[in-house]
Amino acid sequence: MGKVAVISGGSSGIGLALAKMMVADHFSVALLARDQVKLENSKTELESLAPDDVRILSIPVDVSNESKVIKAMNLVLDTWGKIDWLVTSAGFSSPGYFEEQDSSTFRKTFDINFFGTMFCIRHALPSMKKRKIGNIVLVSSGAGLVGIFGSSSYSASKFALTGLAEVLRSECKPFRITVSIAYPPDTDTPMMQNVADKKPWETKLLMGQGGIFTAEQVARSIYRGARRGKFAITTGRQLWLVKRLKSLIYPYIFKSFDKKIKKGKQE
């Protein structure tokens, strides 16, 4: 059979956009997400686009629950016998001032963004190592490159993914498994829309400076970069510069943020 992809957070946004591209390339795809209604709708949409040799699985699962992730991965392996690609795009964000966010917010954010990613990789990796082939794509965020005002829990969880990805890149290389980490810019997704009204005014002021991208634009960039074996994948010139010149331009980024917020307060 053709290649098999597992995509967490695959019922909407970047995950669904990636699924459409992979289906067009004759991947059979397993979508993992919490909302069963969205999952079934996305499955139906993908099936309408899929070539005859492609199959779609929709698996309702909360990726922060390791036992449920294990069952999901076992279902994929029982159905298709392999996992060629794993994309971890499930995410959660709850913006707000640091001192106003309780510990439960940080725990939930890390449970989904970090541990949800780690659980998926941990239970897909053994089958990849056994076959000595595979692609793993961790979806971080531009907020995983630069800490954004009002995003303390989200940025921290996304920064943590970089450390995980860097270690995995080295450990997986002998098994011919390619590891990539993507840093999407501001993207028009359901998650972005859901938190729009919760963001502090300073966050709204700073966000979108590089423009708002569509999920399709970001997915295309991620898919192209991962197929080429690229480790760090950015979309748009602004994040490319941040990633490329990180240590050199950080002082200027922080100065720019501070200046904008100070000006916003005066207005």
Side-chain angles (χ1 to χ4, degrees), residues 86 88 116-126 136 138 164 168:
L86 171 66
T88 60
T117 293
M118 187 270 284
F119 292 153
C120 287
I121 296 171
R122 179 180 293 281
H123 299 292
L125 186 57
I136 298 172
L138 297 80
L164 178 62
L168 288 173

Side-chain angles (χ1 to χ4, degrees), residues 49-215:
L49 302 172
D52 292 340
D53 60 338
V54 165
R55 297 292 179 267
I56 310 298
L57 273 180
S58 61
I59 309 175
V61 57
D62 179 353
V63 295
S64 68
N65 186 317
E66 186 172 13
S67 64
K68 292 183 178 180
V69 171
I70 292 172
K71 289 180 181 179
M73 294 301 173
N74 286 342
L75 177 58
V76 175
L77 293 171
D78 289 343
T79 303
W80 291 319
K82 63 176 183 174
I83 298 172
D84 295 292
W85 279 59
L86 171 66
V87 180
T88 60
S89 64
F92 173 77
S93 176
S94 181
Y97 299 110
F98 171 77
E99 67 272 16
E100 294 178 3
Q101 293 196 316
D102 57 26
S103 298
S104 64
T105 299
F106 275 80
R107 289 187 183 279
K108 181 177 181 179
T109 306
F110 268 81
D111 280 345
I112 295 173
N113 294 352
F114 180 79
F115 286 103
T117 293
M118 187 270 284
F119 292 153
C120 287
I121 296 171
R122 179 180 293 281
H123 299 292
L125 186 57
S127 65
M128 290 183 175
K129 291 178 75 172
K130 186 176 180 180
R131 296 174 59 236
K132 292 192 175 181
I133 192 167
N135 285 74
I136 298 172
V137 182
L138 297 80
V139 180
S140 179
S141 167
L145 285 175
V146 179
I148 304 296
F149 191 110
S151 302
S152 53
S153 58
Y154 184 72
S155 279
S157 68
K158 293 297 189 177
F159 265 83
L161 291 180
T162 297
L164 178 62
E166 289 180 356
V167 173
L168 288 173
R169 187 207 67 80
S170 299
E171 292 190 6
C172 291
K173 191 171 183 178
F175 297 91
R176 296 173 55 211
I177 298 168
T178 300
V179 175
S180 302
I181 181 165
Y183 300 97
D186 290 332
T187 308
D188 186 11
T189 64
M191 187 176 77
M192 183 178 183
Q193 295 162 11
N194 290 339
V195 302
D197 294 335
K198 301 176 183 177
K199 294 177 180 177
W201 67 265
E202 296 94 336
T203 309
K204 295 177 182 178
L205 186 67
L206 299 174
M207 298 297 283
Q209 294 186 48
I212 306 295
F213 289 75
T214 66

